[in-house]
Amino acid sequence: MTERDPRAAHLAQLASLLADETRAACLLALLDGRAWTAGELARHAGVAASTVSEHLGKLVAGGLLVEERQGRHRYVRFADARAAQLVEDLAAQVAPQAVVRPRSLRQSSAGSAMARGRTCYDHLAGRLGIAVTDAFTARGLLRQDTGFALTDAGVAWFDSAGIRLDRASRRPLARACLDWTERRPHLAGVAGAAVCRHALDAGWCVRIGSERAVKVTAAGEQALAELLGIEVTTLH
């Protein structure tokens, strides 16, 4: 009899953490890259605060989340980019027809905003994320033919645009992340995070509502047109 792979038990434990709808709802909410309180996640998941606290405890113990305390408030966020990537990749495998159709105008409007542009943990997604990825590729800054990889011109572009790349990070410089609304890969990794961080810090994009949706500002329209040739009107 062959020995069982020692990773099997750990994989089963990880799978069990994800195999709960309330925990899944919390993890999907945290893909906006921000830290949330237990109360906020309870309201989002539609369960009691005591219930969500128990679930969050399991996710923290399992290494997917970490908690931070500020005064009497307890916040949770993803433990690292790898944990967020795992949830992103699994969520992208959900078939489009499995997503519930909006039941109200408000839900429909929120869904449209998310499809136009949103954050996917720490990078841009939706039509905005795809437009940025396509512009990088068309200008020879990103290669997709042999996997996602920044070219030398791409690295130089970040320097010329004044966007800092964390080259000491252990994450890939560029990584493909399957966009669940566009069904195409958008730019993630260090480069994707740098673009998203700069877009928010520089006021190119602002968050709207309580979900992950973002919209491009007038300053952002000008910057994206000048730096990447993106016409924001094509995202609507």
Side-chain angles (χ1 to χ4, degrees):
M1 181 180 294
T2 59
E3 268 190 40
R4 176 178 294 177
D5 190 320
R7 297 172 299 177
H10 297 290
L11 180 58
Q13 290 172 354
L14 177 60
S16 69
L17 281 176
L18 300 171
D20 179 273
E21 191 171 345
T22 297
R23 290 197 289 273
C26 293
L27 291 170
L28 288 171
L30 289 165
L31 279 179
D32 70 354
R34 295 178 287 186
W36 289 49
T37 66
E40 289 169 336
L41 288 170
R43 288 190 292 273
H44 179 82
V47 297
S50 57
T51 300
V52 88
S53 291
E54 181 180 346
H55 286 298
L56 293 178
K58 291 180 179 179
L59 291 169
V60 170
L64 288 177
L65 302 182
V66 292
E67 66 176 17
E68 300 171 349
R69 292 189 179 274
Q70 291 188 5
R72 61 188 182 86
H73 295 292
R74 173 200 182 198
Y75 294 86
V76 292
R77 59 175 174 80
F78 276 108
D80 51 33
R82 287 199 314 165
Q85 179 184 328
L86 173 65
V87 176
E88 286 174 7
D89 291 345
L90 286 173
Q93 301 307 311
V94 177
Q97 60 268 27
V99 179
V100 177
R101 293 185 180 277
R103 290 174 292 182
S104 66
L105 179 60
R106 181 178 179 181
Q107 284 184 331
S108 178
S109 298
S112 296
M114 289 275 282
R116 278 194 300 273
R118 64 183 181 277
T119 53
C120 184
Y121 184 52
D122 62 358
H123 53 272
L124 296 173
R127 291 194 289 276
L128 174 59
I130 293 295
V132 169
T133 303
D134 286 347
F136 264 72
T137 305
R139 282 160 177 70
L141 310 178
L142 175 72
R143 292 191 61 178
Q144 296 193 43
D145 54 344
T146 55
F148 266 46
L150 280 188
T151 63
D152 290 341
V155 174
W157 180 90
F158 278 87
D159 291 334
S160 66
I163 302 176
R164 188 181 68 84
L165 281 176
D166 183 7
R167 304 186 198 187
S169 174
R170 290 162 50 179
R171 299 173 65 187
L173 198 57
R175 182 181 72 81
C177 178
L178 182 61
D179 196 292
W180 62 268
T181 52
E182 298 301 302
R183 313 312 291 178
R184 293 175 53 202
H186 56 239
L187 177 64
V190 171
V195 170
C196 181
R197 181 177 61 249
H198 188 82
L200 291 170
D201 290 347
W204 296 357
C205 295
V206 292
R207 296 185 184 274
I208 54 176
S210 59
E211 298 288 342
R212 293 186 276 146
V214 298
K215 70 175 180 180
V216 180
T217 64
E221 289 186 14
Q222 182 178 351
L224 290 174
E226 291 177 354
L227 293 172
L228 292 170
I230 296 173
E231 295 296 332
V232 176
T233 54
T234 62
L235 305 179
H236 298 161

